């Protein structure tokens, strides 16, 4: 394997830092060809960092010309984030790779869009080659990031999971899809730098049982495209599906990841994660309130965590380590789970 050049660093501070502004401006310029002919976004985010599934899946109305795509709207982190610069570095690259104006698809153009963020050309080409389902064959595309969640957060390395919806146009035909990308980053002296991409690849659709069909039909279970495809593939365990349905009796859940796009191992360890085995799911918002947001009532998050344990989860992680539980160490908390609730099952 040919060694990669040093990764491009992204500013660790807020949006005011020059390098981050340049990267955002470059992404906006790349997306401008899509946005000029698109209608305004169907719904503005209700709070910073929040993209409702309805807005994420918004398509052109019948009164618009055939083949019109939604506007490209950059995702932004909300309050309460531990490392917002890491999430922005991951998201801006996903947005740049997955959004292009008419006639600008294909690997060379994707590499150019990554390079426009300030990433060295050889690394930009390598990342574009890793984008996979984020860069399908199409005349034009717009990606809308639903949320950016940690798959792992250590002192010098991170995994940011980016579930997104994507509208593509080929001729006059518009298709709705999307994926979840596991973006790997390293911390450098200049900030966070993207080092690799691992897009989710759900399996093909399969005959489904009653629980899977009920999950897909339940409006209170909000699934990003890759997670919905996971359920349709038949590879999600019955314990997960039944827990989702039980929790949805009380809560509206915004799921971030089920199987696809999650690290194979618990980040920073050699222990297999429950996610790729179809035995876990993560929730980034409860009743429309982001877990990470300090304005979200802590009682709502902790009640949801206890309800997940009552639904059979042996491993409930979140921003708070709760006491009690019916099993040893049933609840846990760390920096990675500051922004979501993890709900895992042994079988």
């Amino acid at each position: 394997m040919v060694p990669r050049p040093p990764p491009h660093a992204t500013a660790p501070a807020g949006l005011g830092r020059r390098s981050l502004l340049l990267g955002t401006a470059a992404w906006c310029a790349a997306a401008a060809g899509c946005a000029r002919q698109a209608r305004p976004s169907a719904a503005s985010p209700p709070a910073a960092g929040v993209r409702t599934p309805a807005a994420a899946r918004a398509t052109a109305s019948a009164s618009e010309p055939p083949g019109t795509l939604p506007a490209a709207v950059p995702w932004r982190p909300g309050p309460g984030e531990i490392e917002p610069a890491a999430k922005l570095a991951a998201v801006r690259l996903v947005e740049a790779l997955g959004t292009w104006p008419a006639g600008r698809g294909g690997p060379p153009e994707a590499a150019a869009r990554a390079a426009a963020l300030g990433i060295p050309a050889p690394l930009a080409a390598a990342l574009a080659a890793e984008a996979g389902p984020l860069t399908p064959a199409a005349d034009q595309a717009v990606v809308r990031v639903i949320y950016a969640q940690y798959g792992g957060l250590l002192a010098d390395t991170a995994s940011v999971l980016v579930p997104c919806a994507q509208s593509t146009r080929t001729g006059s035909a518009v298709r709705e899809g999307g994926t979840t990308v596991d973006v790997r980053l390293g911390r450098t002296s200049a900030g966070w730098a993207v080092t690799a991409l691992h897009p989710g690849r759900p399996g093909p659709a399969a005959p489904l049982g009653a629980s899977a069909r009920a999950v897909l039909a339940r409006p209170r279970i909000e699934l990003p495209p890759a997670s919905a495809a996971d359920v349709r593939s038949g590879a999600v365990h019955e314990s997960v599906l039944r827990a989702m349905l039980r929790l949805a009796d009380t809560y509206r859940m915004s799921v971030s990841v089920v199987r696809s796009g999650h690290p194979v191992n618990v980040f920073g360890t050699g222990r297999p994660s429950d996610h790729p085995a179809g035995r876990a799911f993560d929730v980034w918002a409860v009743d429309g309130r982001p877990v990470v947001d300090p304005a979200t009532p802590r009682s709502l998050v902790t009640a949801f965590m206890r309800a997940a344990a009552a639904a059979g989860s042996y491993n409930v992680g979140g921003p708070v380590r709760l006491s009690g539980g019916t099993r040893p160490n049933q609840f846990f908390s760390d920096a990675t789970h500051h922004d979501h609730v993890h709900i895992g099952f042994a079988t």
Side-chain angles (χ1 to χ4, degrees):
M1 180 179 294
V2 178
R4 286 185 174 177
H8 165 65
T10 304
L15 291 173
R17 292 295 294 271
R18 182 174 180 270
S19 60
L20 183 56
L21 283 172
L22 289 173
T24 301
W27 177 85
C28 292
C34 297
R36 274 195 295 268
Q37 296 182 352
R39 65 178 174 83
S41 182
S44 299
V50 177
R51 187 69 46 78
T52 64
R57 294 191 299 267
T59 56
S61 70
S63 63
E64 294 173 320
T68 301
L69 298 185
V73 181
W75 180 89
R76 65 191 191 279
E81 298 285 358
I82 294 177
E83 291 283 358
K87 290 192 174 185
L88 279 171
V91 165
R92 291 296 174 256
L93 180 58
V94 168
E95 290 174 332
L97 291 173
T99 298
W100 60 88
R104 300 294 295 275
E109 293 286 355
R113 293 193 298 275
L117 296 175
I119 299 174
L123 177 59
L127 293 171
E130 294 173 348
L134 190 62
T135 53
D139 297 335
Q140 184 180 358
V142 173
V143 88
R144 283 109 46 213
V145 169
I146 296 169
Y147 187 61
Q149 171 196 297
Y150 288 118
L153 180 60
L154 303 177
D156 297 317
T157 58
S159 160
V160 174
L161 310 183
V162 185
C164 53
Q166 187 180 46
S167 301
T168 56
R169 180 184 62 78
T170 302
S172 61
V174 173
R175 177 181 179 274
E176 295 299 323
T179 187
T180 295
V181 186
D182 174 8
V183 183
R184 299 299 175 92
L185 305 98
R187 193 196 293 271
T188 73
S189 59
W192 286 100
V194 175
T195 58
L197 300 177
H198 301 283
R201 299 178 185 273
L208 300 181
S211 296
R213 294 195 302 271
V215 164
L216 292 170
R218 197 76 178 268
R220 290 167 66 86
I221 303 173
E222 298 173 348
L223 297 169
S227 295
D230 287 337
V231 175
R232 288 195 297 269
S233 75
V236 179
H237 280 232
E238 186 73 12
S239 55
V240 168
L241 301 172
R242 289 180 178 175
M244 285 183 174
L245 293 169
R246 179 170 170 178
L247 288 166
D249 288 339
T250 305
Y251 302 97
R252 176 164 58 92
M253 300 176 294
S254 299
V255 174
S256 46
V257 62
V258 180
R259 294 181 66 247
S260 300
H262 194 279
V264 174
N265 291 329
V266 176
F267 192 75
T269 78
R271 292 184 288 111
S273 168
D274 286 328
H275 283 276
R279 297 198 311 267
F281 66 103
D282 291 344
V283 172
W284 70 272
V286 180
D287 290 342
R289 307 294 296 268
V291 171
V292 76
D293 192 340
T296 298
R298 186 52 55 91
S299 59
L300 174 64
V301 176
T302 57
F304 180 76
M305 292 174 66
R306 292 196 183 279
S313 175
Y314 82 105
N315 194 222
V316 181
V320 181
R321 181 173 182 174
L322 302 180
S323 60
T326 59
R327 308 177 187 187
N329 302 315
Q330 189 170 17
F331 298 105
F332 71 96
S333 180
D334 54 26
T336 297
H337 296 83
H338 178 75
D339 63 359
H340 68 280
V341 175
H342 166 86
I343 303 168
F345 295 84
T347 59

